[in-house]
Amino acid sequence: MLAPILFGSRSGDPFADMRRLQAEMSRLFDDAGASSARRAFPPVNVWLGDSAVVVTAEMPGVPQDRIDLTVQDDTLTIRGERPAAADDGAAWHRRERTAGAFARTVALPFRVDPQKVEARFQDGVLAVEMQRPEEDHPRRIAITAG
Amino acid sequence: MARNLTTTSSGRVERRHGDDPRPAPLTRPATDIFETDDDVVLVADMPGVGADDIEVTLERRVLTLRGRARPPAPEGYRQVYGEYRSGGFERAFTLSEDIDRDAIRASTTSGVLRLELPKAASARPKRIEVQAA
């Protein structure tokens, strides 16, 4: 995300600001390149409800029977394996999709009940809906006039 | 890409990213391309896109893949963390002349689009018989 950039003084070299801006932009793109290489697979989004949480993950091309989900306390672990489109020995022109085994643990905002988990997988997107245990639901506290 | 620039009273320029209305994000799908004896195969990741939401067009030598993902928001939830944005996919490739354009096959499974582009007969590897003389 870009932080607000404040341009400096008007005195001196009028191109100093442009150069500084370009240097900042290059650093931004370099950082973006490095971080995308280190990004975990699958990429996830987390959605919060009143007493439930949903984690969605993009896992195109992973066979449904190769997905392994585990829920423990306030974590969700997604494991799986994605086959490569062709062998290493094939005549590759371009190879951008990662292949192989993966495992990722997602921290949840609260503890969830492993007995109340629903997972759906459609068109390569996994959605895992997890409920909070009954005893953890937030309770309203009445205030008495004193 | 237009950015919102405002001039503050002191004459300095600030760039604000909050009120910049962007259209739905378009992603270039990650694509594998490899060749077999008979075909050139393209495999593109388009998670969240079903068969009905994919469009593959060929105009002259340009092959364009387009996909529209289903809106992801689960009912009754608000997003608190995001590593990916759901939007559309689009990518274009220029084909060589050795493709038999009328015989292109397309299929999709689990959000992955697979295109098989048969090589024109003249482009396939030919076996040359060696006669013992």
Side-chain angles (χ1 to χ4, degrees):
Chain A
M1 285 280 110
L2 294 171
I5 294 182
L6 304 174
F7 287 86
S9 68
R10 314 124 189 237
S11 64
D13 181 0
F15 294 101
D17 286 332
M18 283 289 292
R19 277 200 296 273
R20 179 148 43 94
L21 180 59
Q22 296 221 354
E24 297 215 33
M25 290 298 279
S26 309
R27 267 203 300 281
L28 202 64
F29 287 164
D30 284 343
D31 282 344
S35 64
S36 66
R38 272 182 264 130
R39 251 196 331 192
F41 183 86
V44 301
N45 291 348
V46 181
W47 310 74
L48 198 58
D50 284 335
S51 57
V53 58
V54 171
V55 172
T56 57
E58 287 190 328
M59 304 163 50
V62 181
Q64 187 161 332
D65 56 1
R66 307 303 297 271
I67 302 175
D68 187 83
L69 296 177
T70 329
V71 165
Q72 182 165 19
D73 296 326
D74 60 351
T75 66
L76 165 71
T77 300
I78 305 173
R79 272 191 202 85
E81 186 162 354
R82 175 152 93 151
D87 296 330
D88 286 337
W92 286 93
H93 287 276
R94 192 183 284 260
R95 193 163 188 175
E96 295 173 356
R97 300 168 64 242
T98 55
F102 58 87
R104 180 161 187 196
T105 300
V106 181
L108 305 170
F110 41 66
R111 204 170 59 131
V112 294
D113 187 342
Q115 304 298 323
K116 296 189 188 163
V117 176
E118 249 184 61
R120 291 173 289 278
F121 188 56
Q122 191 178 4
D123 293 327
V125 178
L126 174 73
V128 187
E129 188 172 12
M130 297 160 278
Q131 307 289 330
R132 269 184 120 153
E134 267 301 321
E135 57 268 22
D136 288 359
H137 284 201
R139 300 251 182 273
R140 252 231 148 106
I141 299 178
I143 303 173
T144 49
Chain B
M1 202 168 33
R3 275 180 230 241
N4 228 1
L5 293 175
T6 50
T7 313
T8 62
S9 53
S10 66
R12 283 182 294 165
V13 178
E14 283 182 336
R15 185 191 304 142
R16 266 192 282 194
H17 56 264
D19 42 357
D20 183 10
R22 290 168 196 260
L26 263 187
T27 319
R28 288 168 87 236
T31 307
D32 286 342
I33 306 179
F34 58 92
E35 215 172 299
T36 64
D37 278 342
D38 295 328
D39 300 307
V40 174
V41 182
L42 240 102
V43 179
D45 279 344
M46 295 212 242
V49 183
D52 295 334
D53 296 316
I54 295 185
E55 188 187 78
V56 179
T57 51
L58 181 57
E59 194 173 323
R60 294 176 182 244
R61 288 169 54 194
V62 177
L63 178 75
T64 306
L65 319 178
R66 281 190 193 90
R68 194 179 54 231
R70 210 177 311 103
E75 290 263 339
Y77 290 88
R78 69 174 200 285
Q79 188 166 0
V80 295
Y81 176 72
E83 289 177 351
Y84 68 89
R85 280 158 73 177
S86 271
F89 294 95
E90 187 174 296
R91 195 158 179 188
F93 298 91
T94 306
L95 301 183
S96 77
E97 310 221 322
D98 298 334
I99 300 293
D100 182 357
R101 288 170 227 171
D102 299 322
I104 295 180
R105 300 181 294 278
S107 61
T108 180
T109 323
S110 294
V112 179
L113 172 67
R114 184 186 173 96
L115 289 172
E116 285 162 8
L117 316 171
K119 299 188 205 175
S122 56
R124 290 192 197 166
K126 279 194 192 37
R127 246 231 148 98
I128 298 176
E129 292 286 330
V130 178
Q131 309 284 356

